[in-house]
Amino acid sequence: MSVSDPVADMLTKIRNAGMAKHEKVDIPTSKLKLEIVKILKIEGYIKNFKKTNHDGAGIIRVFLKYDEKTGPTIHGIEKVSKPGRRVYMGYKNMPRVINGFGTLIVSTSQGVTTGKKAAEKKVGGEIICTVW
């Protein structure tokens, strides 16, 4: 079975693993997925990640982070741009996620970055997902 949207599949795996309180989740690797996971690590949504090989295929092992009171650190993760409907935004119109408490992940001409950093660099791009 081929996956038509690998990034959405990755986000769903992370969301489901968090709700099931798993310690880690394995995701097939790609450059875009690796950049998204790096941003999740920098923003404090996951503990860590590790890129490994399993049976010749690249795997990203994501170690999830939990709070004692609220459960998973990632309360919500949602894909914005979809294969049938891409969403592009200029730096002046970059939306805020949960009134500034969430993170917007954007693919720009200067690489994958957060919405705040893209606005600071004055560069727009395709909105990949929102995390809160």
Side-chain angles (χ1 to χ4, degrees):
M1 180 181 100
S2 70
V3 178
S4 65
D5 192 358
V7 174
D9 185 50
M10 174 190 78
L11 298 176
T12 301
K13 284 183 180 185
I14 291 173
R15 184 184 321 108
N16 290 345
M19 291 190 320
K21 303 221 186 312
H22 288 273
E23 179 186 341
K24 63 187 183 304
V25 61
D26 289 343
I27 300 163
T29 190
S30 75
K31 290 179 185 178
L32 179 60
K33 290 179 192 178
L34 193 59
E35 292 300 316
I36 293 171
V37 170
K38 283 179 186 175
I39 291 173
L40 291 176
K41 166 77 169 121
I42 290 168
E43 295 293 319
Y45 290 109
I46 61 173
K47 275 187 196 173
N48 209 347
F49 67 94
K50 181 179 171 184
K51 187 179 173 187
T52 62
N53 283 328
H54 182 67
D55 294 334
I59 297 289
I60 303 171
R61 180 162 287 163
V62 179
F63 297 94
L64 302 174
K65 188 175 180 181
Y66 295 95
D67 266 346
E68 287 99 28
K69 295 180 182 177
T70 59
T73 309
I74 298 176
H75 296 289
I77 188 165
E78 187 175 288
K79 182 89 160 86
V80 177
S81 252
K82 297 179 169 68
R85 183 177 157 265
R86 302 290 184 189
V87 178
Y88 297 95
M89 202 66 62
Y91 73 92
K92 292 180 182 176
N93 302 325
M94 214 51 82
R96 292 173 48 174
V97 180
I98 311 294
N99 216 9
F101 288 106
T103 303
L104 185 71
I105 299 178
V106 183
S107 176
T108 68
S109 59
Q110 298 179 3
V112 179
T113 185
T114 64
K116 289 179 185 175
K117 290 180 184 173
E120 288 171 6
K121 293 179 185 176
K122 295 190 175 182
V123 53
E126 180 183 354
I127 299 176
I128 299 172
C129 64
T130 58
V131 185
W132 64 94

